[in-house]
Amino acid sequence: MKAYSIVGRDIPRRDARSKATGSAVYTDDIKLPGMLHGRILRSPVPHARILNIDVSRAAALPGVKCVITGQDTPKIKYGNWRLFPATQDEYPLAVDKVRFVGDEVAAVAAVDRDTAEEALSLIRVDYEELPAVYDVRRAIRKDAPLIHEGSPGNVSVERKIAYGDVRAGFREADYVREDTFTVHPVSHAYLEPCSTVARCDPDGRITLWTSTQTPYIVQCLLASVLGMRENDIRVIKPFVGGGFGGKMELRPWEFCAAFMAKKTGRPVKFVLEREEELVFGRRRHPMRITSKVGFKKDGTLVAKDLKILLDGGAYNAMGPTATFLCGNFGAMLYRYPNYRFYGRHVYTNKPPASAMRGFGAPQSLFAAESQMNMAAEDLGIDPIELRLKNAQVPGDVIPDVATISSCGFVECLREVARMSGWNRKRKTHKPGRGIGVGCYSFISGGVFNWFNTQYPFSAAEVRAFSDGTVHLLTMASDIGQGSDTALAQILAEELGLRMEDIRVTSADTAMTPQADLGSWGSRVTLMAGNAVVQAARQIKEALFGAVSARFNLNVIYDFECKEGRVQARGRPDRGVSFGEAVAMAQKANRGEPVVARGYYTPRNKGLVTPAFSFGAQVAEVSVDRETGLVEVEKIWTAHDCGTVINPTAVEGQLEGSIHMGLGYALSEELRMENGRTLNRTFLDYKMPHAPDMPANESLCVDTYEPEGPMGAKEAGEGLVSPTAPAIAEAVYHATGYRCKDLPITPEKILKGMKK
Amino acid sequence: MMKHSITLTVNGDRYTLAVFPWRTLNEVLREDLNLTGTKRGCGTGDCGACTVMVDGRTVSSCLTLAVDVDGKEILTVEGLAPDGERLHPIQEAFIEKGAIQCGFCTPGMEMSALYLLSNHPRPGEREIRHGLSGNLCRCTGYNKIVEAVAEASRRMEKNNGAPGGGRKP
């Protein structure tokens, strides 16, 4: 590992103090003069034609300032960002039909929330109910109700991948197995409910403060649905209370706030109730995954044929991207010489599923890793040995996707086996106790550009000042993961400054450089980090020139920024303070400020990602054979995220991922009945609490990613995938019950043990 | 419906307010007193983000009616470090141990930690986890929060049991 002075150190997050004291301002903490409060009326039925909406009584209620329905709006569709117009299937407010319980039908803005709520009850909507469909296998049948015109069979998107010769591969195989797995819907359950405040300036321009992961995308899509110019809309991201993929689209309340602010001339705020989040909100895709794999007798993988039906709910949302990615995740981690994928994104009359941490990976990897464990048992090979035999290594090529650069997967497998005492525990275990393994690989940001833009993927501006400080401006969005801190660390490292010398302004589309595609796909550290490095290097060039001139040095000298100084390398006496160097560079250039911009867009990196992360995880469980209750005793993780920028932040991502993975495996589930989500509160949605967390031990293997800033790559998202398959295998080891339909509940275990 | 006149002492300051009987303490703190450090994550008392102290006991401010706490002493996150310069040991430990990510659960977590440490100055890991079991966090997996509370306990003990270097909580 390279030696750095600030990168790699446990530096507390820059916003920790304001969060610890309660002074950090989140969207719902914003209060503007004259501000109105908005509420949304939602469909009570899963599928219906809207015959008539009568808002007259609501509009007449004292205190109500604005009531809108789809008919009042420009009726411009959005959805799945904007690369493929055919996949845009959603109006901000329903125009002709409602397609799920919770579909947005009308909105009210009033002087206070209670009045707005009362007004909703006075709106009368006449529906003509239509037959509805909730199951993907029924939805694709010919006689199923059609949810969207133009999507016959309710399939909105199909994706195929094929390389090698799958048929020949299976002929070559000594052992073939096919399994079908189903996975369930879960909620992002970020603690901060979605919220937004819109203000219309006297010149008609809109300023939107909103709880989002993607300010630039909200700016562009909001402009499009309002029929406005992009730069007449300014989106500011205040502090955001978590996103996990649930805040990366344009949302109806953002449209309604802006539209009604324009209509009334008064600021409008929307804050969702938790019930709206759970019952009507976006969720992780439920899927039906059929996977056929073939091996040689010695464990060598020869072919894989993967078919996935994604239950998309009523609209595309980000589902087409998830469909695309499932195909890629299905071929990660191991060398598949022959591979075929067929994914279909299917409409059902349920709340739309969309992006959620892992974005297809937790589902595909639950299937792939579980199947790997089953095959290992049948082949009589240890599960970790079987993985080692097929593991991707640096230089491997995934056809049409990428050449893998840094890859510490083999090291991860060996380390996790060592840390967990795998060999011993696997062979000698007490009844009711078990140990299992699951692995992951993930992307460091997407190359697939589903958002059509002329701007680079990430940008950074650095302004240097003669008092020795610098100002970093970037549209990258810190939603709690800590990107403001990580980017400042990268900048401080590059410029030889201290953290306190760096001011950060981020995620304001009118003030920070265009553009940044947002916080998703684990893209920020690598992409925005590279933009920061590029800007910093230009600043250094300007300063090096000034210092060289000042000391009249031979041109062979190299220079460095170190400990607040700019100096000739090896000759610290030939140097000045950073601030003095800035002043000199400015004076040499007629006072022009020392400012530089850096950009990053992946080049020659295939269509998926510039860099892959890897990891292996082992879970040890005990299962109460009377009640079927699973206790996860300990989790060991070895992962490869390249250079670690901030160890505490990386551990925080890992521990948060274990929490989410544990919930996905064992306790969290949005229970559905006739298109209705039954979990209305956190009491009914079983997210792990502090006492439920297992002990955990982790290790980062030492790798250096040449495409990443200072060797870094993703650390926040891939880690959420291995936990469920590891726990499922451990439960099998303990009880003989093999879970193929998440979550693993006591009922399923008890039933499975009887067999 | 008539408004009721109530008097609250919040973080040492006295306020006399006229409130409707259905207004929650959370609404009054956030909207009337502009003390927005106390959050609202669910409105049903399940997430703990709205936790405050009333007469030294933690409550979910989203489930507490303002008229029911008339005449009582309320402590919110803004009152943990009233002079704004020196932080409470709990806040210091949360910052240094990486217990904060998105920060939305933080004020409620800190109040629950304060209640725990006021009653059990030297809790073990199990007690800490139990003491935080009314507060949800989606980012951290709780471990760093548990470490922070243990660290705060050590620091408060050093200050002779007086949190915040001799100040009353």
Side-chain angles (χ1 to χ4, degrees), chain A residues 116-178:
Chain A
E117 194 70 44
E118 192 181 345
L120 293 187
S121 68
L122 300 175
I123 298 173
R124 197 196 147 100
V125 187
D126 297 326
Y127 294 106
E128 178 197 334
E129 278 206 58
L130 300 168
V133 61
Y134 311 116
D135 176 77
V136 278
R137 277 178 300 167
R138 289 207 44 208
I140 55 175
R141 284 193 346 210
K142 277 205 181 94
D143 58 348
L146 189 63
I147 299 176
H148 289 268
E149 298 296 327
S151 291
N154 291 315
V155 173
S156 71
V157 171
E158 279 187 312
R159 170 156 168 88
K160 290 177 181 170
I161 302 173
Y163 53 78
D165 184 338
V166 171
R167 273 194 210 170
F170 283 121
R171 273 200 302 274
E172 231 182 276
D174 299 315
Y175 165 77
V176 175
R177 69 173 298 137
E178 182 175 312

Side-chain angles (χ1 to χ4, degrees), chain A residues 159-339:
Chain A
R159 170 156 168 88
K160 290 177 181 170
I161 302 173
Y163 53 78
D165 184 338
V166 171
R167 273 194 210 170
F170 283 121
R171 273 200 302 274
E172 231 182 276
D174 299 315
Y175 165 77
V176 175
R177 69 173 298 137
E178 182 175 312
D179 300 279
T180 294
F181 302 87
T182 59
V183 290
H184 59 304
V186 290
S187 172
H188 307 87
Y190 34 71
L191 262 277
E192 181 208 20
C194 286
S195 43
T196 200
V197 177
R199 184 183 69 197
C200 184
D201 296 331
D203 59 9
R205 291 188 168 91
I206 298 279
T207 303
L208 190 82
W209 291 264
T210 193
S211 178
T212 184
Q213 304 173 224
T214 53
Y216 171 63
I217 286 173
V218 170
Q219 176 198 4
C220 297
L221 296 183
L222 184 58
S224 122
V225 290
L226 287 169
M228 289 174 67
R229 297 183 299 183
E230 282 174 9
N231 280 307
D232 289 339
I233 289 172
R234 174 184 183 186
V235 176
I236 301 170
K237 177 205 69 68
F239 282 107
V240 170
F244 311 111
K247 298 177 178 174
M248 56 182 275
E249 300 169 61
L250 175 71
R251 282 81 52 85
W253 45 94
E254 289 167 331
F255 168 85
C256 292
F259 188 76
M260 294 201 287
K262 228 174 145 72
K263 270 191 98 157
T264 60
R266 294 172 66 166
V268 179
K269 178 195 269 188
F270 278 82
V271 181
L272 259 57
E273 289 291 335
R274 179 59 57 184
E275 182 176 341
E276 290 178 280
E277 292 278 4
L278 286 169
V279 179
F280 314 124
R282 302 291 206 235
R283 60 238 5 238
R284 182 179 281 156
H285 281 91
M287 293 186 196
R288 187 178 172 81
I289 302 166
T290 302
S291 179
K292 183 174 165 188
V293 280
F295 293 83
K296 301 291 271 180
K297 226 178 272 160
D298 68 355
T300 308
L301 266 168
V302 288
K304 177 167 178 172
D305 190 6
L306 180 65
K307 296 188 189 101
I308 301 186
L309 288 175
L310 290 91
D311 185 347
Y315 297 98
N316 271 324
M318 299 304 299
T321 315
T323 313
F324 169 88
L325 282 174
C326 278
N328 295 115
F329 292 132
M332 283 186 179
L333 279 172
Y334 309 108
R335 299 160 151 185
Y336 294 99
N338 307 292
Y339 178 71

Side-chain angles (χ1 to χ4, degrees), chain A residues 13 17 19-20 22 26 28-29 31 187-188 241 244 274 480 651-652 655-656 668 687-690 693 696, chain B residues 22 30-31 34 37 39-41 84-85 91 100-104 110 129 133 137-144:
Chain A
R13 0 174 1 116
R17 192 185 169 100
K19 287 173 173 175
Y26 298 78
D28 187 24
D29 302 335
K31 198 187 215 180
S187 172
H188 307 87
F244 311 111
R274 179 59 57 184
E651 279 168 28
E655 289 167 359
E668 294 179 34
M687 217 155 107
H689 286 75
M693 290 297 292
N696 109 80
Chain B
W22 59 80
R30 289 181 51 79
E31 294 165 21
N34 289 321
K39 300 301 177 202
R40 184 176 186 273
E85 205 160 296
Q91 293 171 312
I100 301 172
Q101 287 189 34
C102 87
F104 203 78
E110 289 175 343
R129 289 185 183 273
S133 62
C137 169
R138 192 54 153 174
C139 300
T140 65
Y142 305 103
N143 290 354
K144 301 216 178 297

Side-chain angles (χ1 to χ4, degrees), chain A residues 216 449 453-460 513-517 523 527 531 598-603:
Chain A
Y216 171 63
N449 188 356
T453 173
Q454 68 279 19
Y455 288 117
F457 279 26
S458 282
Q514 274 76 20
D516 187 281
L517 298 182
R523 60 186 295 285
M527 296 195 181
Y599 303 102
Y600 179 78
T601 302
R603 289 272 173 267

Side-chain angles (χ1 to χ4, degrees), chain A residues 76-91 221 225 249-250 282 315-318 320 450:
Chain A
I76 298 167
K77 284 184 178 176
Y78 71 106
N80 194 45
W81 295 353
R82 67 177 182 192
L83 186 62
F84 302 109
T87 61
Q88 300 188 333
D89 56 2
E90 196 168 5
Y91 294 110
L221 296 183
V225 290
E249 300 169 61
L250 175 71
R282 302 291 206 235
Y315 297 98
N316 271 324
M318 299 304 299
W450 292 77

Side-chain angles (χ1 to χ4, degrees), chain B residues 3-30:
Chain B
K3 281 190 175 180
H4 291 238
S5 175
I6 58 169
T7 301
L8 306 179
T9 305
V10 184
N11 304 329
D13 296 326
R14 263 169 73 94
Y15 299 90
T16 300
L17 304 156
V19 297
F20 284 118
W22 59 80
R23 298 267 290 171
T24 65
L25 177 59
N26 188 261
E27 289 168 327
V28 169
L29 290 171
R30 289 181 51 79

